[in-house]
Amino acid sequence: MSIVQIAELSGHKDRIWSVSWNPSGTLLASCGADKTIRIWGKSGNSWESLAILTDAHLRAIRSVAWSPNGSLLASASFDGTTCIWDRRGGEFECVANLEGHDNEVKSVGWSASGRFLATCSRDKTVWIWEVEEDNEYDCASVLACHSQDVKRVRWHPLEDILASASYDDTIRFYKEDVDEWAMLQTLTSHTSTVWAIDFNNVGDMMASCSDDKTVKIWRQYLPGNSEGVPTTGEDPAWKCVCTLSGYHERAIYDVSWCPATDLIATACGDNGIRVFKEAPDSDPHSPTFNLVAADRDTHDQDVNCVHWNAKTSGLLASGGDDGIVRLWEVKE
Amino acid sequence: MDRNELENINPDIFSRLPDREFTERDFEVENLPIDQREVCIFFSLTFSNHIRDIKDPEHPMTLEELKVVELSAIEVNDEANFCHVQFTPTIPNCSMATLIGLAIKVQLLRLLPARFKIDVTITPGTHNTADAINKQLADKERVTAALENTYLHTVINECLLFPEPQFVPRFIGRALEETKKADHQKVRYIQYSRQHIESYRRWRDIIYGSEKKWKSSLVFNV
């Protein structure tokens, strides 16, 4: 397979921290240290800037995420707040500002049902917000399970189950249990900061990437599984079934699992993007993943984020410390 | 700072290595345009003079005089865009170690072109919480966020200010005159670059103006 650049989108004045495709794959949002969010879209055959969202945050914007129906965009900032942007009027308007974290908010994500929003922060907590009518967001829970800076939150693609990754080297799972959010499981295996996590399309597997230069693949085991993986009560348990080591030279800052093609892309501090694919004959409980494409010079500096387009197979967006958003076509 | 509050009251003091002497060889890189040679001067100065002259947060001495940094503990590979600096805290429980490491890191991030990967770590076995500090210094997200803190930014900037001007060796002066660059702004900035960190920035922007590949989040808030 090969990775071919199809667009180079410049405009950000500083490093890019996050890129995110809307669910229909028509718009890309990017954000970064210059405190702006840019919306990119296709016009004819070329990609161009459609909107620049400014003046909502006082410090770097670390993360952006679209709601499941694509009508809302959430942005999380080092200024400790999370903004909700509404594009129903045709233009993006900041309709809510969620405050509460003690310091930098590192990540934001919407649950599959659209009922919940999660944020996490350097204050070691994960907050779950309940989405009410009229742009009201109620804090449903503050989860203080991690012992360090929480880097990433990611919802399960089908159920309202949340996973978080932290500087304390662990990943934790949470679920609502009769109006109370509780932690289900702590995953330990990485030996340094876990920067990012992402689920596959059906949510029975998850990839994580770390400062320890490895990617780990986790599998969900249901109660009573024939492999004998221990579970608690009705809840599934997650187990590390594969570690990809020796491929990355520096910290891996992001991982994206493509819902359309099942390819896994990583963003690395060595300026490279790598794409992995599960071997066709691999054992599901001890799978083999092969490096199927790699480009060591995708950005001039660290690559901070990658995100697959859910609708166009093989279309990948990336952002880096060089302030450029790039679009790639990954194909046979 | 009140003397009673010092953590290490009587640090050992070591002598400063003499300034690196520039030879004509440094500027005889074949077929390089003058700008490239200026970059060479810049690199040489960076490693021989800049890190070692960072001021200790407690004492009115440089990191070199306290043997926190040594030339032999610096590894640079220009071609591979790689720079690794090991530093040695004066005492194994020094609470300033993170701050010192951060000052070294910030200095390198600002002065080296952005293509460089910069690692700053504690010399193994010289600090009680070396692993935790190394992890913090390697986390670019926390380093960037820390620098958005005005107080910390000020403290670090104070560690990075140098008083003395710097002189360009005579033969370089001659070479510059021959190429009619002696009066060029760039050259002046090089000569006075150590006077103030702000002039580094202007000087840097002029030399690398076309390249513009700097860690912009780390640029000074003057």
Side-chain angles (χ1 to χ4, degrees):
Chain A
M1 296 187 95
S2 65
I3 301 178
V4 180
Q5 182 176 311
I6 54 169
E8 179 180 310
L9 308 174
S10 51
H12 279 289
K13 302 275 193 296
D14 206 326
R15 71 154 51 101
I16 289 162
W17 276 122
S18 170
V19 286
S20 179
W21 289 104
N22 67 346
S24 58
T26 53
L27 298 175
L28 178 76
S30 62
C31 67
D34 66 1
K35 309 180 188 79
T36 69
I37 299 164
R38 282 167 189 261
I39 309 291
W40 313 87
K42 205 168 183 182
S43 161
N45 264 335
S46 63
W47 292 85
E48 56 184 49
S49 172
L50 300 180
I52 303 172
L53 282 45
T54 55
D55 300 327
H57 290 292
L58 302 171
R59 289 178 61 187
I61 304 173
R62 179 66 181 90
S63 169
V64 278
W66 296 89
S67 61
N69 67 8
S71 66
L72 300 172
L73 180 72
S75 60
S77 165
F78 283 179
D79 69 11
T81 69
T82 303
C83 284
I84 310 294
W85 304 81
D86 189 334
R87 63 184 278 254
R88 271 172 284 198
E91 299 218 334
F92 287 86
E93 188 191 351
C94 181
V95 292
N97 195 349
L98 314 185
E99 296 179 8
H101 282 293
D102 286 343
N103 41 40
E104 297 108 43
V105 186
K106 298 289 177 73
S107 176
V108 59
W110 303 82
S111 75
S113 66
R115 281 181 60 210
F116 299 104
L117 186 74
T119 56
C120 64
S121 161
R122 192 164 72 88
D123 68 11
K124 306 174 189 174
T125 65
V126 172
W127 288 45
I128 313 252
W129 307 81
E130 198 158 358
V131 181
E132 309 276 344
E133 282 177 22
D134 301 325
N135 301 317
E136 288 289 323
Y137 293 79
D138 278 347
C139 175
S141 186
V142 175
L143 299 155
C145 304
H146 282 291
S147 61
Q148 292 285 347
D149 191 0
V150 191
K151 299 295 194 188
R152 182 69 63 103
V153 282
R154 193 63 120 211
W155 291 90
H156 188 277
L158 306 175
E159 297 170 58
D160 284 348
I161 290 175
L162 180 71
S164 64
S166 165
Y167 187 88
D168 71 9
D169 310 351
T170 70
I171 299 160
R172 288 165 205 257
F173 274 87
Y174 315 86
K175 199 181 94 174
E176 191 177 26
D177 186 15
V178 203
D179 267 5
E180 281 278 311
W181 283 82
M183 198 181 79
L184 293 177
Q185 194 186 356
T186 301
L187 310 188
T188 52
S189 186
H190 280 296
T191 55
S192 190
T193 304
V194 188
W195 280 104
I197 42 182
D198 200 13
F199 291 94
N200 69 349
N201 200 15
V202 291
D204 62 353
M205 290 174 92
M206 180 182 77
S208 61
C209 65
S210 163
D211 186 59
D212 69 13
K213 307 184 182 74
T214 71
V215 173
K216 288 182 187 279
I217 309 292
W218 306 78
R219 175 171 275 283
Q220 177 187 251
Y221 288 89
L222 299 172
N225 63 82
S226 56
E227 288 72 33
V229 176
T231 56
T232 316
E234 310 261 294
D235 300 316
W238 290 79
K239 185 187 160 206
C240 179
V241 291
C242 177
T243 299
L244 302 168
S245 57
Y247 293 105
H248 299 85
E249 292 178 22
R250 297 184 67 86
I252 311 163
Y253 292 115
D254 200 6
V255 62
S256 178
W257 198 321
C258 182
T261 62
D262 254 353
L263 295 170
I264 297 171
T266 60
C268 185
D270 64 11
N271 306 357
I273 291 176
R274 291 168 180 80
V275 179
F276 297 88
K277 186 182 186 183
E278 186 172 0
D281 51 352
S282 90
D283 173 0
H285 306 292
S286 177
T288 307
F289 282 79
N290 295 322
L291 181 70
V292 291
D295 187 342
R296 284 293 312 274
D297 302 304
T298 55
H299 284 264
D300 293 334
Q301 299 172 46
D302 295 2
V303 191
N304 293 324
C305 47
V306 279
H307 194 213
W308 291 104
N309 187 300
K311 300 296 175 197
T312 309
S313 286
L315 177 58
L316 181 73
S318 68
D321 275 357
D322 59 5
I324 311 281
V325 174
R326 293 176 201 273
L327 302 182
W328 308 89
E329 190 174 47
V330 180
K331 57 181 179 184
E332 299 290 342
Chain B
M1 187 180 281
D2 184 350
R3 202 167 165 78
N4 297 325
E5 290 174 19
L6 294 181
E7 283 196 5
N8 188 357
I9 297 172
N10 281 314
D12 292 329
I13 298 176
F14 301 85
S15 62
R16 186 178 193 279
L17 281 174
D19 280 337
R20 181 179 181 289
E21 276 194 37
F22 293 104
T23 65
E24 298 202 34
R25 248 187 87 79
D26 288 322
F27 304 94
E28 280 171 0
V29 186
E30 276 195 8
N31 300 325
L32 286 181
I34 185 75
D35 294 82
Q36 197 62 35
R37 283 186 236 169
E38 286 164 354
V39 173
C40 292
I41 302 173
F42 166 73
F43 277 120
S44 316
L45 294 174
T46 302
F47 297 110
S48 61
N49 292 344
H50 289 325
I51 308 180
R52 69 177 188 174
D53 284 341
I54 295 174
K55 200 180 82 53
D56 183 82
E58 279 199 337
H59 299 283
M61 283 161 252
T62 67
L63 295 187
E64 184 190 30
E65 287 166 335
L66 296 168
K67 222 169 183 171
V68 173
V69 289
E70 288 178 272
L71 198 56
S72 61
I74 300 171
E75 190 192 343
V76 183
N77 187 332
D78 185 21
E79 221 163 82
N81 297 324
F82 175 79
C83 171
H84 182 196
V85 174
Q86 278 193 348
F87 69 105
T88 309
T90 52
I91 44 173
N93 55 354
C94 178
S95 67
M96 301 283 175
T98 314
L99 184 61
I100 291 170
L102 200 53
I104 296 171
K105 181 135 187 173
V106 170
Q107 180 75 328
L108 291 168
L109 285 169
R110 282 181 184 156
L111 292 175
L112 289 176
R115 62 187 166 84
F116 272 84
K117 305 293 179 188
I118 296 156
D119 292 321
V120 176
T121 58
I122 291 181
T123 310
T126 63
H127 198 278
N128 299 338
T129 58
D131 288 349
I133 295 171
N134 288 343
K135 188 171 183 180
Q136 222 172 325
L137 291 173
D139 185 327
K140 69 169 184 183
E141 187 186 62
R142 287 170 70 137
V143 168
T144 337
L147 291 175
E148 288 183 11
N149 174 319
T150 322
Y151 170 73
L152 195 59
H153 205 133
T154 312
V155 172
I156 287 171
N157 285 345
E158 278 168 9
C159 294
L160 299 179
L161 292 177
F162 311 115
E164 335 91 274
Q166 139 198 327
F167 300 99
V168 171
R170 192 176 296 168
F171 73 88
I172 300 176
R174 269 207 316 276
L176 292 170
E177 262 168 43
E178 282 165 19
T179 53
K180 301 199 166 88
K181 288 239 175 183
D183 293 325
H184 196 280
Q185 271 184 317
K186 281 185 197 179
V187 177
R188 296 199 178 171
Y189 282 116
I190 292 171
Q191 286 172 333
Y192 294 103
S193 63
R194 282 171 69 188
Q195 283 186 327
H196 197 280
I197 193 85
E198 169 62 1
S199 68
Y200 284 154
R201 188 165 70 104
R202 296 200 302 249
W203 161 68
R204 190 192 68 189
D205 285 346
I206 288 164
I207 290 185
Y208 285 102
S210 55
E211 203 175 333
K212 286 283 179 202
K213 286 175 183 171
W214 296 92
K215 302 276 184 189
S216 43
S217 336
L218 296 153
V219 167
F220 245 68
N221 304 322
V222 181

